[in-house]
Amino acid sequence: MAHFGKSNDFRRDELIRIIEHSVEKLTLQELEALYYDMTTKSYINDH
C-alpha cells in the first residue's frame, strides 16, 4: 500500500512539473483566460 502512495506522489509531482512548464510559455492573454476559467471553476480562490 505504501508503494501505491509513492507512485501517486511521483505522478502528481510529474504532472505539476509538466503543467508549470506549459504555463510558463503562455502569453498574458492566455494566462488571463486560464485564470478566469480556473476561478470560475473554483480551482483558484482569491478572497
Side-chain angles (χ1 to χ4, degrees), residues 2-47:
H3 175 69
F4 181 74
K6 287 183 182 179
S7 178
N8 282 344
D9 289 344
F10 176 79
R11 181 64 177 149
R12 183 179 187 281
D13 290 344
E14 179 182 38
L15 289 170
I16 289 170
R17 281 191 299 277
I18 292 167
I19 292 167
E20 285 176 340
H21 183 71
S22 298
V23 167
E24 288 174 348
K25 295 178 180 181
L26 297 178
T27 65
L28 178 57
Q29 187 175 10
E30 291 168 329
L31 284 169
E32 287 174 338
L34 178 61
Y35 175 80
Y36 176 78
D37 187 48
M38 291 180 77
T39 56
T40 59
K41 293 178 180 174
S42 298
Y43 293 132
I44 296 175
N45 296 313
D46 275 357
H47 351 3

